[in-house]
Amino acid sequence: MTLDYPSSAFSFMLFFISSCLLTSVHHSKVPPSEKSTLVNQTKWQYYGTPRTSGNLTVTWNHQMLETKEVNIEVWGYHETGKPYSSSWTAEWKYLYTLKRSHPNRGEFTFVPTPSALYNDWELGALRISSSTASDGQSNVAAIWSNGHALAWHLGEDFRRDSAAWATEKCHQWDTQERDLPGFLEEIDACPCTLAQARADTGRFHTDYGCDIEKGSVCTYHQGAVHCVRSVQASPQYGAGQQCCYDAAGSQVLTGDSIGGSTPDRGHDWGAPPFKKPPRIPGFSHWIYDVLSFYYCCLWSENCSVYFKHRPSSGCRRYHPPRAASAFGDPHLITFDGINFTFKGLGEYSLVESNLTLLRIQGRTQVVKLLSGKEGTEALVTGFSAIAMQENYSDVVEIRIPEHSGSLEVLLNHKALNFSEQTWMDLKGLFLSTTPGLNVTVMFSSGVGVEVSRWKASSLSLTVLLPEKFLNHSQGLFGTINGNPRDDLTFRNGTSLDTDYSTPEDLFVFGADWAIKNETSLFTYDTQHLLDKYLYGPKHDPNFVPVFTPSEDPTDPLVEQMVLLCQSDPFCRFDVLTTRDLAVGNGTKLSHQRYQHLLESLQPGSSERMCQDNGLWSGEPTRCLPNAGSSQQVPPLILTWAILGFMSLWQ
Ligand SMILES: *[C@@H]1O[C@H](CO)[C@@H](O)[C@H](O)[C@H]1NC(C)=O
Ligand SMILES: *[C@@H]1O[C@H](CO)[C@@H](O)[C@H](O)[C@H]1NC(C)=O
Ligand SMILES: *[C@@H]1O[C@H](CO)[C@@H](O)[C@H](O)[C@H]1NC(C)=O
Ligand SMILES: *[C@@H]1O[C@H](CO)[C@@H](O)[C@H](O)[C@H]1NC(C)=O
Ligand SMILES: *[C@@H]1O[C@H](CO)[C@@H](O)[C@H](O)[C@H]1NC(C)=O
Ligand SMILES: *[C@@H]1O[C@H](CO)[C@@H](O)[C@H](O)[C@H]1NC(C)=O
Ligand SMILES: *[C@@H]1O[C@H](CO)[C@@H](O)[C@H](O)[C@H]1NC(C)=O
Ligand SMILES: *[C@@H]1O[C@H](CO)[C@@H](O)[C@H](O)[C@H]1NC(C)=O
Ligand SMILES: *[C@@H]1O[C@H](CO)[C@@H](O)[C@H](O)[C@H]1NC(C)=O
Ligand SMILES: *[C@@H]1O[C@H](CO)[C@@H](O)[C@H](O)[C@H]1NC(C)=O
Ligand SMILES: *[C@@H]1O[C@H](CO)[C@@H](O)[C@H](O)[C@H]1NC(C)=O
Ligand SMILES: CC(=O)N[C@H]1CO[C@H](CO)[C@@H](O)[C@@H]1O
Ligand SMILES: [Ca+2]
Ligand SMILES: [Ca+2]
């Protein structure tokens, strides 16, 4: 990898130009690289507006460049052509050299002069490289600054009356927005509550600019403690959704507060294939959603124009997904809430849906006893691999390797090697993983699958299906339609009575959902897997599990079990069959996690309505006087708003 492009903020350009990185949009997967610092970036992005004057300073670690003298170059980003037509293209290029042959001492201070030739380049970055390189030369070691609004180099007309200049730009943007197709109808509605937003992991992901796990440094979204962004860009326009929540768990809306969440014409993380506007990660978002905020809200006082085109989406159209889960020995809970234990040995269909050709399959193996004699096995099984695909997407398989305590992820039957938290953009899905601990798969349709391994010897799994899958699922996780009574339905359409099924009946039901060679998504790459699962039957008829574990009151384990499990039937079951409290504990934790997820997904009542009396419903809120009106926005707010946008680049 060369150092041609600044590797954090502009990392996706690597993707864009050379596509040598599999993934690059999410911050966690950007290779670390030295950056230069724009001292007081607010000043850089504000230079030329009233009350800014004097010099600007950029600093860098001079040891990163083995040279006596450096050149400091200005690079710019541009999008040209008719929006949403084939002529719409992006350009990232060297503009001019700000300073030649400057001593490499790690600092450069200058008084910016208005640019005459390049003043229509409003977004860019500085590049510092050896003075022996020619202007704009590629493949040289370089240190980049953050991408930023190039206020400091804009022309005389900006310097003369920046508010008038920005007002004009804001109105041009307004006119353009009126002509462009509306995207608001196309983006997902926001979850109503913070709990929902954090639970709906198939469709929403933490916004790095405002993360409750990282201390809620929500500089821009003042009043919010957490924001999420839609995982998928909208299908036709590549637009993005952003939803922010306050400490009470309610949405922060632009109607109430300048810190409200705003949808984006360009998804901040871009959209496949990432190569054309408005799908270019970071940059397109800057052009359509951030620079316009500078024009309307920061460099002039026309924020109402901005919010007219970027109003927060309420949650009226939002429907929480339905969740099904499997954990422990395995115990399954269907989308409509039926629970049962199925300890077949083989490969089974958990979810099938002809709506998007979704298939989620689980393989079980006999549970090895953790305590007890070496190599002894309990007469119970647990999931050891989960494989999935939707609509000819890449196939993802998550499994427990035969001789390791970790988790292995296979992409199209090849093992992936992660060393750190990773996010990947794959065909038809996104994958995020905390290596060894858990994997989340987000399919294009909004289906979310979480696989994790607690201290147990088996995998636990949660599947989230969006509302549109109603009436379109079958398999061990049941027919998703709000009616629990038809969840135990065989392939041939007959159903078991959910009230009067014996464990033996349920075993027959489970066996019916064994997959076939032709539909299997699994990888058979060891002799054991070939013998056991490919050449052998998909459901092993010779394996007869414990159906009902006996509970002997004189057994000393029982007392400990009661202490640990309380009334959790799944925990009790697994302690009795494995005689291992740790297994029961894992089952209990997974079960609790699932229950917590269900609670989180409950519809909240926290959407605020404007009531007849002119007050917002719900908890009293404080609103921002004059936000979105033509009057002065307090400078403090401007400052954190700028800081917030800067933080988009961090
Ligand atoms: C940064 O620049 C802004 C605008 O010129 C100024 O108001 C602010 O005080 C500066 N901050 C620091 C820390 O120097
Ligand atoms: C830059 O401006 C600051 C504040 O106006 C001043 O203290 C400093 O001396 C200036 N530096 C240079 C190199 O001109
Ligand atoms: C499991 O289902 C049974 C009915 O079949 C119900 O009585 C029980 O409460 C359920 N248990 C849990 C933990 O959901
Ligand atoms: C399946 O994927 C194709 C493109 O690969 C897409 O055109 C089609 O709409 C998708 N179908 C569904 C049901 O998602
Ligand atoms: C995975 O990557 C790490 C370092 O990135 C390396 O040490 C390890 O050997 C790799 N493992 C496999 C199985 O390739
Ligand atoms: C995955 O594991 C990490 C680290 O324990 C945790 O923070 C995260 O919530 C887990 N995610 C899921 C989906 O289980
Ligand atoms: C699901 O099927 C039921 C019965 O066939 C029908 O009444 C209902 O409208 C369907 N729901 C959806 C969302 O298609
Ligand atoms: C899809 O599956 C549902 C049941 O899950 C079935 O009623 C319907 O006929 C199927 N549609 C197609 C096109 O196969
Ligand atoms: C459907 O399949 C189940 C399991 O194989 C069987 O018990 C049942 O009799 C079948 N029903 C019909 C109507 O064929
Ligand atoms: C599955 O495929 C394997 C290898 O091709 C074959 O040996 C086995 O008989 C097949 N199983 C069934 C049920 O068709
Ligand atoms: C169960 O697991 C939790 C979380 O890892 C741990 O704090 C607790 O001590 C465990 N309890 C037992 C009995 O193993
Ligand atoms: C319509 C409107 O609010 N226009 C304002 C845009 O911003 C300029 C400069 O800040 C104000 O002077 C206008 O009144
Ligand atoms: Ca936004
Ligand atoms: Ca059902």
Side-chain angles (χ1 to χ4, degrees):
M1 189 71 54
T2 70
L3 293 173
D4 266 356
Y5 304 97
S7 98
S8 175
F10 286 70
S11 62
F12 54 89
M13 292 307 292
L14 295 166
F15 189 109
F16 180 46
I17 304 288
S18 65
S19 62
C20 66
L21 272 186
L22 189 53
T23 57
S24 57
V25 186
H26 285 255
H27 307 231
S28 54
K29 64 197 178 198
V30 169
S33 153
E34 192 71 21
K35 267 206 299 187
S36 66
T37 304
L38 303 173
V39 176
N40 192 353
Q41 188 166 310
T42 307
K43 192 171 173 187
W44 286 75
Q45 301 196 101
Y46 233 67
Y47 202 96
T49 66
R51 294 180 299 279
T52 50
S53 60
N55 55 40
L56 293 174
T57 298
V58 55
T59 60
W60 65 94
N61 179 353
H62 65 93
Q63 287 160 339
M64 296 300 292
L65 290 173
E66 285 174 14
T67 177
K68 281 204 157 51
E69 294 183 333
V70 294
N71 286 349
I72 299 166
E73 299 170 343
V74 184
W75 286 59
Y77 179 84
H78 221 133
E79 289 184 1
T80 53
K82 188 174 176 323
Y84 305 105
S85 81
S86 58
S87 68
W88 204 9
T89 50
E91 198 179 3
W92 170 240
K93 76 168 203 175
Y94 163 80
L95 301 182
Y96 59 93
T97 299
L98 192 57
K99 181 76 198 293
R100 253 176 241 290
S101 304
H102 183 72
N104 181 21
R105 56 168 182 254
E107 183 177 318
F108 172 58
T109 295
F110 69 112
V111 176
T113 51
S115 163
L117 277 176
Y118 296 100
N119 66 19
D120 56 343
W121 292 81
E122 296 167 16
L123 175 59
L126 298 185
R127 187 179 88 157
I128 300 165
S129 55
S130 168
S131 59
T132 56
S134 56
D135 290 346
Q137 187 184 334
S138 57
N139 291 326
V140 294
I143 300 176
W144 291 87
S145 74
N146 276 345
H148 61 283
L150 301 175
W152 57 273
H153 101 150
L154 294 179
E156 288 288 2
D157 45 350
F158 179 74
R159 290 282 175 95
R160 212 176 306 120
D161 187 346
S162 59
W165 182 95
T167 300
E168 171 65 21
K169 283 280 185 181
C170 177
H171 286 140
Q172 280 171 15
W173 177 77
D174 181 30
T175 308
Q176 184 193 33
E177 281 290 322
R178 284 172 209 258
D179 285 350
L180 292 178
F183 64 89
L184 297 176
E185 287 302 309
E186 209 197 34
I187 53 179
D188 291 331
C190 282
C192 296
T193 65
L194 174 61
Q196 277 178 335
R198 300 187 70 203
D200 193 347
T201 50
R203 296 185 288 188
F204 294 92
H205 193 268
T206 301
D207 180 348
Y208 300 104
C210 178
D211 181 356
I212 201 167
E213 301 278 339
K214 304 255 160 74
S216 297
V217 186
C218 307
T219 356
Y220 169 52
H221 297 284
Q222 205 73 33
V225 296
H226 193 70
C227 296
V228 294
R229 290 186 185 277
S230 57
V231 166
Q232 305 290 338
S234 71
Q236 197 179 349
Y237 299 118
Q241 180 59 288
Q242 181 193 45
C243 313
C244 297
Y245 301 87
D246 64 19
S250 312
Q251 270 183 276
V252 186
L253 302 170
T254 44
D256 294 344
S257 158
I258 196 174
S261 34
T262 51
D264 303 314
R265 183 171 290 281
H267 195 299
D268 190 21
W269 304 329
F274 302 106
K275 289 181 180 163
K276 256 177 81 77
R279 295 166 178 272
I280 297 180
F283 275 126
S284 291
H285 174 54
W286 253 96
I287 295 279
Y288 299 99
D289 308 297
V290 186
L291 276 180
S292 46
F293 187 86
Y294 275 84
Y295 302 151
C296 303
C297 300
L298 303 185
W299 294 336
S300 80
E301 291 136 26
N302 297 270
C303 219
S304 60
V305 176
Y306 187 83
F307 287 152
K308 188 172 70 188
H309 297 292
R310 300 287 187 272
S312 300
S313 302
C315 71
R316 233 162 282 199
R317 284 187 293 125
Y318 178 77
H319 298 284
R322 308 289 179 101
S325 191
F327 47 83
D329 264 0
H331 311 282
L332 293 91
I333 305 178
T334 66
F335 292 109
D336 291 332
I338 291 290
N339 68 74
F340 63 98
T341 298
F342 170 62
K343 299 170 301 296
L345 176 58
E347 295 173 342
Y348 306 92
S349 179
L350 291 159
V351 185
E352 285 175 14
S353 173
N354 57 15
L355 187 68
T356 61
L357 305 180
L358 174 71
R359 279 182 288 166
I360 304 175
Q361 304 173 344
R363 170 192 288 155
T364 61
Q365 71 181 15
V366 177
V367 170
K368 300 232 173 8
L369 290 181
L370 297 176
S371 54
K373 268 180 274 148
E374 185 70 25
T376 44
E377 293 181 334
L379 286 176
V380 289
T381 58
F383 283 111
S384 59
I386 307 289
M388 61 197 95
Q389 184 186 38
E390 175 184 83
N391 191 17
Y392 308 107
S393 72
D394 283 331
V395 175
V396 172
E397 180 176 343
I398 297 133
R399 69 181 183 186
I400 301 174
E402 269 171 52
H403 303 290
S404 150
S406 180
L407 264 193
E408 188 175 48
V409 182
L410 297 100
L411 173 62
N412 298 324
H413 311 290
K414 298 261 181 331
L416 294 173
N417 185 6
F418 305 110
S419 53
E420 57 187 43
Q421 235 189 355
T422 304
W423 173 282
M424 299 178 78
D425 309 340
L426 302 171
K427 186 183 168 207
L429 60 98
F430 294 99
L431 185 152
S432 129
T433 178
T434 305
L437 290 177
N438 58 38
V439 178
T440 303
V441 174
M442 294 147 266
F443 284 108
S444 305
S445 63
V447 172
V449 183
E450 294 181 7
V451 179
S452 66
R453 185 173 187 191
W454 292 92
K455 292 177 185 33
S457 48
S458 313
L459 297 175
S460 59
L461 161 78
T462 301
V463 179
L464 295 164
L465 287 189
E467 170 108 341
K468 66 183 172 204
F469 282 85
L470 276 182
N471 287 355
H472 294 285
S473 82
Q474 52 180 15
L476 289 182
F477 280 150
T479 316
I480 180 175
N481 56 6
N483 172 20
R485 306 203 67 85
D486 63 2
D487 276 13
L488 306 176
T489 300
F490 291 92
R491 286 189 191 270
N492 63 17
T494 20
S495 303
L496 279 185
D497 188 318
T498 49
D499 290 340
Y500 301 102
S501 312
T502 62
E504 288 81 358
D505 292 338
L506 287 162
F507 191 66
V508 175
F509 163 72
D512 188 53
W513 283 103
I515 57 172
K516 297 194 169 58
N517 266 357
E518 309 84 80
T519 52
S520 173
L521 298 172
F522 288 106
T523 306
Y524 304 93
D525 56 356
T526 65
Q527 200 56 49
H528 169 71
L529 294 175
L530 286 168
D531 293 345
K532 179 79 204 160
Y533 297 98
L534 186 69
Y535 305 137
K538 291 297 183 204
H539 168 78
D540 185 344
N542 298 319
F543 180 81
V544 181
V546 179
F547 285 116
T548 317
S550 56
E551 198 172 313
D552 176 357
T554 62
D555 183 347
L557 183 69
V558 167
E559 200 180 320
Q560 289 169 285
M561 174 194 78
V562 172
L563 221 65
L564 171 72
C565 301
Q566 312 278 324
S567 63
D568 188 324
F570 309 135
C571 172
R572 283 168 167 249
F573 191 112
D574 292 358
V575 171
L576 291 173
T577 52
T578 64
R579 303 198 62 77
D580 189 332
L581 289 168
V583 172
N585 200 16
T587 301
K588 185 178 99 174
L589 291 170
S590 299
H591 187 204
Q592 283 172 346
R593 199 177 154 88
Y594 168 76
Q595 286 171 322
H596 179 250
L597 176 72
L598 281 198
E599 280 160 26
S600 300
L601 290 173
Q602 288 306 308
S605 58
S606 41
E607 187 180 19
R608 293 176 192 283
M609 310 278 194
C610 188
Q611 302 172 135
D612 291 342
N613 62 8
L615 298 175
W616 291 107
S617 63
E619 293 278 305
T621 38
R622 294 180 54 197
C623 62
L624 195 84
N626 310 323
S629 81
S630 62
Q631 293 175 40
Q632 177 109 28
V633 178
L636 180 66
I637 288 161
L638 292 184
T639 306
W640 56 248
I642 298 166
L643 288 171
F645 274 110
M646 282 159 48
S647 74
L648 288 172
W649 289 94
Q650 301 309 304

